[in-house]
Amino acid sequence: MPSERTLAVLKTREFLQNLIKNTETPEYIRHEAKWLLRHYPDATDIKIVAQAMQTMRSSLPAGPVFCIDDPFCPTLSKYFPQEALANVSKVQENP
């Protein structure tokens, strides 16, 4: 499901950030986590991809990879507050 995939990516980012902050984590693991985060997608990146996929929904063979609003997944609102979603709906209306 796109919502579960989205949450997995965002929660993995949080996990890596927490590893970096935890001074009890060995230095080599903190270093690796920091290196991985350099190009790891954040909520803004996922939002951009989700918006683009929404506009090309009919041409996607397997459907969207990410989503930012799913009524059955309220946890997404933590990462994508309603005021941000208002802008997304405007983009979707004007492809």
Side-chain angles (χ1 to χ4, degrees), residues 46-57 68-69 83-95:
I46 290 174
K47 180 179 173 183
I48 291 167
V49 171
Q51 288 174 319
M53 292 182 134
Q54 186 66 29
T55 60
M56 0 183 285
R57 176 173 247 153
I68 58 173
D69 58 344
E83 60 272 7
L85 293 179
N87 295 330
V88 173
S89 62
K90 290 177 189 174
V91 171
Q92 292 171 354
E93 292 168 7
N94 302 315

Side-chain angles (χ1 to χ4, degrees), residues 4-74:
E4 293 168 347
R5 189 176 301 112
T6 301
L7 284 176
V9 170
L10 293 169
K11 288 183 179 222
T12 299
R13 181 177 187 77
E14 286 179 353
F15 175 76
L16 291 170
Q17 289 171 326
N18 289 333
L19 280 178
I20 293 168
K21 293 176 191 173
N22 185 347
T23 56
E24 294 179 15
T25 303
E27 180 61 33
Y28 75 94
I29 292 176
R30 291 193 330 235
H31 177 74
E32 189 71 16
K34 191 173 185 178
W35 185 85
L36 291 169
L37 279 172
R38 288 183 61 207
H39 300 290
Y40 201 84
D42 61 13
T44 303
D45 298 327
I46 290 174
K47 180 179 173 183
I48 291 167
V49 171
Q51 288 174 319
M53 292 182 134
Q54 186 66 29
T55 60
M56 0 183 285
R57 176 173 247 153
S58 61
S59 63
L60 295 173
V65 175
F66 297 116
C67 75
I68 58 173
D69 58 344
D70 182 343
F72 300 107
C73 187

